[in-house]
Amino acid sequence: MTVRVVTPDVTAIREAAGILAAGGLVGLPTETVYGLAANAENDAAVAGIFAAKNRPAINPLIVHVENLAMAEIYALFDDHAREIAAEFWPGALTLVLPLRPGHGLSRHVTAGLETVAIRCPAHPVAMALLRAFGRGIAAPSANRSGSLSPTTPQHVVQSLGDSVSMILAAGKCAVGLESTILDLSTPLPAILRHGAVTRADLAPFLGEIADAIHTPDAPKSPGQLLRHYAPRLKLRLNAEQALAHEVLLAFGPILGKQATPSLNLSGNGDINEAAANLFDMLHQLDHMAMNLPHISAIAVMPIPETGIGFAINDRLRRAAESH
Ligand code: TXA
Ligand code: MG
């Protein structure tokens, strides 16, 4: 299959909705990362996502919806969940909630769980496709399982180009990290994945918040157990400078001249700019190193734990541990 990378005008959106209705896959921009979209109610289409990504069947998908009314077709909301959705949607927050009986989702979407992960994305193209299609869209990040999430259309082509027929290309994703996942299906709400919506953002709406990643007996996001977010090169975190066998991923002003190839997540230390650049720069450094046989690792300068910085460090630690 040859992939078509298209400008998402009205005609392209209509065509993409037709591909979804026919059980096909579409590369879809969201504000977080690019998704690999399929009709969430069609077994064969959702199975196609798992095949294209080589994703383990135990790892459930996020259902994307146009609004709260569409979300309530699939999940059971109480008033508290509605309040949180009203506050953070559309946006980079995924809610895990009990499945509504008669929900109609493909059984592959939830990987046999009694809950479903749902999000209303804040991207005009994703919203336009949801409006045109009129039903839930299952969409994991549009990369092969275990590798870096895509934040540009080119990343999607590189990772999945031969298994998707059309990519709606809308440039670089503004957030650049996957959504925060908040589990509201348990007595104690838990953050299953950190993202742009932080614990501090959520705190006013929740009492105590558990962190499932560090709480062994709390329910976990199945995807968090798997190898994740891996560039090809090794990562060395909290590095002040690069060693002879390293390229540098900098943050903030760099003093002196860098001997090694380097990229800067944000020259003026803007944490949101750093998040938006993270996956693309890891991709770029991996590419650069292909022509530099003496390079085997990326030295990453310290990133502050403020705002989305917590999520950046979470992704970096996972990437470092996966080698
Ligand atoms: O920002 C995002 O969330 C992007 C864009 C495309 O929306 N999507 C994304 O999907 O990152 P994916 O499949 O790469 O990550 C989904 C995560 C996985 O870790 C999965 O285990 C978790 O959501 N998940 C899905 N359903 C769940 C459920 N019912 N309970 C707990 N975790 C769930
Ligand atoms: Mg993913």
Side-chain angles (χ1 to χ4, degrees):
M1 193 188 301
T2 342
V3 61
R4 280 187 309 131
V5 180
V6 302
T7 305
D9 57 16
V10 177
T11 313
I13 297 282
R14 199 177 307 130
E15 193 192 334
I19 292 174
L20 294 183
L25 306 182
V26 172
L28 178 68
T30 82
E31 80 280 31
T32 57
V33 299
Y34 275 75
L36 180 62
N39 177 357
E41 300 183 8
N42 179 328
D43 271 343
V46 176
I49 291 181
F50 283 87
K53 282 181 60 86
N54 193 21
R55 182 179 179 107
I58 56 149
N59 192 4
L61 306 178
I62 296 174
V63 177
H64 296 69
V65 292
E66 188 189 342
N67 48 35
L68 180 61
M70 193 187 279
E72 295 211 34
I73 297 172
Y74 303 119
L76 292 172
F77 283 70
D78 59 16
D79 285 343
H80 187 224
R82 284 190 194 102
E83 185 196 355
I84 292 172
E87 179 69 24
F88 293 97
W89 285 358
L93 180 68
T94 295
L95 299 178
V96 173
L97 291 162
L99 274 167
R100 174 180 291 280
H103 53 78
L105 293 171
S106 160
R107 64 208 152 89
H108 304 308
V109 168
T110 53
L113 297 174
E114 299 296 308
T115 55
V116 59
I118 296 211
R119 156 169 126 83
C120 175
H123 190 291
V125 175
M127 295 182 108
L129 184 59
L130 281 161
R131 239 183 340 266
F133 185 56
R135 305 297 282 183
I137 294 178
S141 51
N143 54 287
R144 290 207 190 273
S145 189
S147 58
L148 289 166
S149 287
T151 55
T152 67
Q154 290 70 35
H155 294 161
V156 183
V157 174
Q158 283 160 23
S159 197
L160 296 175
D162 50 357
S163 42
V164 53
S165 52
M166 182 189 210
I167 299 171
L168 297 170
K172 187 173 156 183
C173 300
V175 174
L177 294 184
E178 306 86 346
S179 61
T180 303
I181 302 180
L182 177 66
D183 190 350
L184 292 177
S185 71
T186 47
L188 189 61
I191 296 177
L192 304 183
R193 182 172 71 186
H194 295 278
V197 175
T198 64
R199 179 182 292 270
D201 295 332
L202 293 167
F205 300 90
L206 300 164
E208 203 185 335
I209 311 176
D211 189 338
I213 294 159
H214 303 296
T215 314
D217 54 351
K220 289 193 180 68
S221 218
Q224 300 301 323
L225 302 174
L226 305 166
R227 184 176 176 274
H228 247 112
Y229 313 116
R232 220 171 35 79
L233 295 170
K234 285 188 179 141
L235 289 188
R236 185 168 66 88
L237 307 185
N238 297 313
E240 286 305 335
Q241 56 193 20
L243 304 174
H245 66 285
E246 292 175 334
V247 287
L248 181 71
L249 186 57
F251 177 79
I254 331 181
L255 305 171
K257 211 167 173 296
Q258 287 298 318
T260 46
S262 71
L263 292 174
N264 199 327
L265 289 168
S266 172
N268 59 10
D270 177 334
I271 200 74
N272 293 316
E273 184 185 14
N277 283 332
L278 180 70
F279 290 148
D280 185 50
M281 290 190 173
L282 289 174
H283 275 285
Q284 286 188 49
L285 291 170
D286 256 353
H287 273 274
M288 270 185 209
M290 282 180 185
N291 305 318
L292 302 170
H294 66 289
I295 297 294
S296 59
I298 304 173
V300 187
M301 284 176 64
I303 315 286
E305 295 271 9
T306 50
I308 200 170
F310 191 80
I312 296 177
N313 284 313
D314 169 74
R315 302 301 190 278
L316 285 171
R317 276 191 292 272
R318 283 164 198 285
E321 278 164 16
S322 73
H323 281 278

